[in-house]
């Protein structure tokens, strides 16, 4: 079994539904077991900023799927949930990014692991620290908490635990 972290994001309504459906689809796969799941965070858009706020979370899974098989599964779920590739870093019903696959380093046309931007994205690091507070990232030689400390304050402030408008905290 390989330990894998996956980031989920959505900024087209119903955002929470897209995230929950993607998680359910992943859980359905026989070769994948859900280990833990962060809270849902509401996050300011990064990169292309003229778009709605995202909901983001990070999950930890164990899987016997090879990295490319896991990417295929993630992309199949993105397609099923109506994901269209229009603007780079633009609005999306669902985005599934593989952050880490064991400690493997991979660089092919289709897949880069660890995810090339994960160490600089507050919307990834903050939920990731919630479920893996002692994580060390060999590819940047840093602990997760050091990476978060190094983020600009405004970037950290752009990531807040999301309150479901109907009541309880997610
Ligand atoms: N670790 C990874 N996880 C998911 N996709 C990856 C990864 N590494 C490379 N890719 C490739 O990235 C391509 C573009 O993915 P996508 O359209 O989701 O990018 P994006 O989410 O807009 O931007 P970003 O890559 O900055 O998160 C995919 O077709 C996929 O082949
Ligand atoms: N807040 C936030 N910003 C983003 C996100 C995302 O998931 N959350 N995904 C992007 C492309 O992967 C680009 N920008």
């Amino acid at each position: 079994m390989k330990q894998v972290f996956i980031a989920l994001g959505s900024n087209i309504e119903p955002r929470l539904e897209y995230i929950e459906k993607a998680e359910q689809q992943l859980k359905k796969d026989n070769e994948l077991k859900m280990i833990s799941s962060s809270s849902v965070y509401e996050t300011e858009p990064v990169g292309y900023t003229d778009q709605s706020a995202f909901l983001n979370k990070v999950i930890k899974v164990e899987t016997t799927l090879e990295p490319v098989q896991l990417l295929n599964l993630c992309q199949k779920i993105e397609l099923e949930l109506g994901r269209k590739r229009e603007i780079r870093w633009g609005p999306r019903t669902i985005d599934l990014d593989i952050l880490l696959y064991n400690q493997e380093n991979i660089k092919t046309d289709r897949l880069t692991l660890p995810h090339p931007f994960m160490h600089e994205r507050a919307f990834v690091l903050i939920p990731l620290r919630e479920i893996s507070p002692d994580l060390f990232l060999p590819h940047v030689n840093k602990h997760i908490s050091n990476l978060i400390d190094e983020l600009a304050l405004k970037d950290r402030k752009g990531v807040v635990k999301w309150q479901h408008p109907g009541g309880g905290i997610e």
Side-chain angles (χ1 to χ4, degrees):
M1 284 292 216
K2 305 292 175 12
Q3 289 205 333
V4 179
F5 291 92
I6 300 174
L8 296 89
S10 169
N11 77 335
I12 294 178
E13 292 293 354
R15 298 175 297 174
L16 183 64
E17 218 169 279
Y18 283 122
I19 287 186
E20 287 177 345
K21 284 198 171 141
E23 244 181 307
Q24 282 161 15
Q25 294 289 92
L26 285 168
K27 268 190 210 156
K28 265 200 240 162
D29 194 280
N30 290 333
E31 292 196 62
L32 194 145
K33 184 172 150 208
M34 197 67 65
I35 303 295
S36 51
S37 175
S38 78
S39 308
V40 175
Y41 292 76
E42 186 159 54
T43 70
E44 283 172 14
V46 171
Y48 174 73
T49 52
D50 187 17
Q51 58 178 328
S52 310
F54 281 76
L55 292 184
N56 285 107
K57 77 185 297 184
V58 170
I59 59 172
K60 180 179 179 183
V61 303
E62 281 181 359
T63 187
T64 46
L65 293 172
E66 290 302 317
V68 169
Q69 294 176 310
L70 180 62
L71 179 68
N72 288 341
L73 174 64
C74 290
Q75 293 186 340
K76 181 169 148 267
I77 296 171
E78 288 180 346
L79 277 179
E80 281 169 5
L81 294 177
R83 165 85 188 266
K84 295 190 182 66
R85 291 196 156 70
E86 281 153 355
I87 305 170
R88 187 178 186 215
W89 293 340
R92 67 259 337 260
T93 54
I94 192 73
D95 184 26
L96 296 172
D97 286 336
I98 307 170
L99 302 175
L100 299 164
Y101 182 99
N102 265 6
Q103 300 283 7
E104 289 192 27
N105 288 287
I106 295 176
K107 197 156 180 32
T108 65
D109 282 353
R110 286 192 65 205
L111 190 58
T112 303
L113 288 168
H115 190 284
F117 305 119
M118 66 171 289
H119 62 281
E120 59 190 44
R121 288 178 164 173
F123 66 82
V124 167
L125 295 174
I126 291 172
L128 180 58
R129 179 178 57 180
E130 184 192 332
I131 56 170
S132 199
D134 299 323
L135 190 70
F136 180 74
L137 298 164
H139 71 294
V140 284
N141 196 30
K142 285 190 177 146
H143 276 105
I144 181 114
S145 15
N146 298 127
L147 285 168
I148 292 173
D149 290 345
E150 284 170 13
L151 292 170
L153 192 58
K154 72 164 183 25
D155 291 342
R156 267 183 276 155
K157 283 194 165 156
V159 175
V160 290
K161 269 197 193 168
W162 186 62
Q163 299 266 153
H164 196 291
I169 200 162
E170 272 303 306

